[in-house]
Amino acid sequence: MTSVRMAGWAAAVALAVGTGAMGAQSRDWKIDAAHSEADFSIKHMSISTVHGSFRAIAGVIKFDPVDVAKSGVEATIDVSSVDTGVAPRDNDLRSSKFFDTAQFPTMTFKSTSVKKAGDHYDVAGDLTLHGVTKPVVLRLEAPGKEEVGMDGKSVHRGFTATTTIDRKDFGLTWNGALKSGDAVLGDDVRIELDIEAAQI
């Protein structure tokens, strides 16, 4: 009886370990555009901050919590989806003065490496915006737990990342001058990505 119990215990442990290993495997996640957005903010007249977002996001995230070097992301944003809550300003941003969406309708990000950095991850990659490609690093918060959707089948996970870029690096150079000599717009643009994705 003892040998039978030991064999059963060993089998249970093996099953538990195997299940844990499966849960830690690399998984692919498709971005859910209905529950995701790319927010940005920029200084206006050096006295306030204007906020906006892009809501038309598509792409795939690969996340391996054990071997993060196997992780990565490829994403595309429809730039014409820009929304600051002020229609005339949004139209201005779509014009050739800024994003020029007629000529450059999308921006893309493709990662080149993912590294653990303390309590977060550094996701390095190439950002293409306004026809210019530059390297950027996203600071990715440690992803939270997985959740089963309301359909009882689909598995979802959230990803939050931030970075700051200099808009002039991407050819977005328009500005105006105030009587004080200060610029109308700042150069630094803070970006925050709030992504929900479903397991493929």
Side-chain angles (χ1 to χ4, degrees), residues 10-42:
V13 170
L15 179 60
V17 171
T19 302
M22 290 177 62
Q25 289 176 352
S26 175
R27 294 184 178 181
D28 289 348
W29 304 84
K30 183 178 180 180
I31 294 174
D32 178 1
H35 299 98
S36 301
E37 62 183 69
D39 299 323
F40 64 90
S41 59
I42 185 171

Side-chain angles (χ1 to χ4, degrees), residues 71-111:
S71 302
V73 58
E74 290 192 31
T76 300
I77 294 176
D78 180 352
V79 182
S80 66
S81 70
V82 63
D83 182 3
T84 64
V86 180
R89 179 167 59 203
D90 296 342
N91 289 333
D92 201 28
L93 288 172
R94 296 183 186 105
S95 74
S96 58
K97 190 163 67 175
F98 289 101
F99 292 124
D100 194 359
T101 58
Q103 185 174 357
F104 308 109
T106 62
M107 74 173 85
T108 62
F109 179 79
K110 183 176 182 179
S111 63

Side-chain angles (χ1 to χ4, degrees), residues 3 12-13 17 30 44 46 62 73 77 79-80 90 98 106 112 121 128 135 145 147 158 174 180 182-183 185 188 198:
S3 61
V13 170
V17 171
K30 183 178 180 180
H44 180 248
S46 301
K62 181 183 289 292
V73 58
I77 294 176
V79 182
S80 66
D90 296 342
F98 289 101
T106 62
T112 54
Y121 300 87
T128 299
K145 65 179 182 178
E147 290 283 2
W174 184 90
S180 64
D182 291 334
L185 295 177
D188 290 341

Side-chain angles (χ1 to χ4, degrees), residues 52-74:
S53 64
F54 300 93
R55 297 184 179 276
I57 308 173
V60 174
I61 300 167
K62 181 183 289 292
F63 182 63
D64 189 327
V66 176
D67 187 355
V68 295
K70 294 180 180 178
S71 302
V73 58
E74 290 192 31

Side-chain angles (χ1 to χ4, degrees), residues 114-131:
V114 180
K115 298 178 181 178
K116 190 78 168 66
D119 62 351
H120 67 280
Y121 300 87
D122 285 338
V123 183
D126 294 323
L127 174 64
T128 299
L129 169 62
H130 196 242

